[in-house]
Amino acid sequence: MSAIWGGVSLAGRANVAVIANGLAISEVKPGDAGWVELSNASAYDLDISGWGIGNGAMIYSVPAHTQIRRGKRWVLSREASGIAFPASGSAILMY
């Protein structure tokens, strides 16, 4: 990377490591008392703040400072999210 500003030239180098996050939708229970479970199979705690989980009609935005610890699971219920988790054949979006 290099930059020039006001006649001054700077150059630098950055090393970037890409780490697979290991996050997965591990289980979904459809229906009125439904929920979705996310699991973290990685060796790192994952911050999922601002991620969205939806059913195609509605999206729940994960609150700030929400983490899934390494090797742990996180359950989002319909009661907490307001989202009806659909029966088989439908999709849940996570981004």
Side-chain angles (χ1 to χ4, degrees):
M1 145 173 54
S2 62
I4 300 174
W5 181 75
V8 177
S9 176
L10 302 170
R13 185 177 178 163
N15 292 323
V16 177
V18 177
I19 301 170
N21 69 21
L23 185 66
I25 298 173
S26 51
E27 194 170 351
V28 177
K29 180 181 184 285
D32 290 336
W35 42 263
V36 62
E37 178 185 80
L38 305 181
S39 62
N40 176 4
S42 77
Y44 305 94
D45 296 344
L46 299 177
D47 186 343
I48 60 170
S49 302
W51 284 44
I53 298 174
N55 62 4
M58 185 176 186
I59 297 174
Y60 172 80
S61 183
V62 177
H65 312 293
T66 301
Q67 290 190 351
I68 304 176
R69 302 281 184 205
R70 63 180 174 232
K72 300 295 181 183
R73 298 169 191 264
W74 183 74
V75 176
L76 178 64
S77 68
R78 178 178 184 181
E79 182 177 280
S81 67
I83 295 176
F85 298 104
S88 162
S90 298
I92 289 186
L93 310 174
M94 182 175 67
Y95 56 94

